[in-house]
Amino acid sequence: MDDLKQIGLGLTGFGVFFWLLGIILFFDKGLLAIGNILFISGVITTIGLKSSLEFFTKQSNFKGTVSFGTGFFFVIVGWPIIGMAAEAYGVIVLFSGFWPTVSVILQKIPVIGWCFQRSWFS
């Protein structure tokens, strides 16, 4: 893995961290907006600009892209609960195909990997 992909994964991780922090702190719109920006920039940095455009504009991902974009707009204008609900739906629709890969990676984590090796996660 080259340095650019590591930076992209770091940005994506920080984006998810700020999302969680924003939700824990009663849907703070500033933290949620920062999380959104870091998450999107991390995805683009990890897989590249051309691949990102192809991924987000693919016909099968159109519902997820529109939902995520609408949720981002609602977070920015000050309706973070509605925005995060729309974004959550968009993330599930967009990234649901990646669950098998994520599951294999999570099973290899030393401390918590045994939880993901159980039948209810497979």
Side-chain angles (χ1 to χ4, degrees):
M1 184 178 306
D2 63 346
D3 290 339
L4 197 59
K5 289 187 192 289
Q6 289 179 352
I7 291 170
L9 289 174
L11 288 172
T12 305
F14 277 119
V16 170
F17 171 73
F18 277 102
W19 268 350
L20 293 174
L21 192 60
I23 290 169
I24 289 170
L25 295 174
F26 304 111
F27 292 95
D28 181 58
K29 75 175 189 174
L31 290 173
L32 293 173
I34 290 170
N36 286 332
I37 293 167
L38 288 173
F39 180 77
I40 292 297
S41 62
V43 168
I44 291 171
T45 305
T46 302
I47 65 174
L49 184 61
K50 184 179 176 185
S51 297
S52 297
L53 286 174
E54 289 174 1
F55 176 74
F56 287 113
T57 58
K58 193 185 318 180
Q59 184 67 27
S60 62
N61 293 341
F62 184 70
K63 270 197 315 190
T65 302
V66 169
S67 177
F68 188 84
T70 303
F72 182 72
F73 173 75
F74 281 134
V75 167
I76 296 297
V77 297
W79 294 355
I81 296 173
I82 295 170
M84 285 307 294
E87 283 183 13
Y89 174 74
V91 167
I92 289 170
V93 170
L94 283 170
F95 298 106
S96 63
F98 295 110
W99 176 247
T101 305
V102 171
S103 176
V104 169
I105 291 171
L106 290 174
Q107 288 176 3
K108 295 182 180 182
I109 296 175
V111 177
I112 61 170
W114 66 272
C115 291
F116 293 101
Q117 292 174 356
R118 301 293 179 238
S119 62
W120 61 83
F121 280 108
S122 299

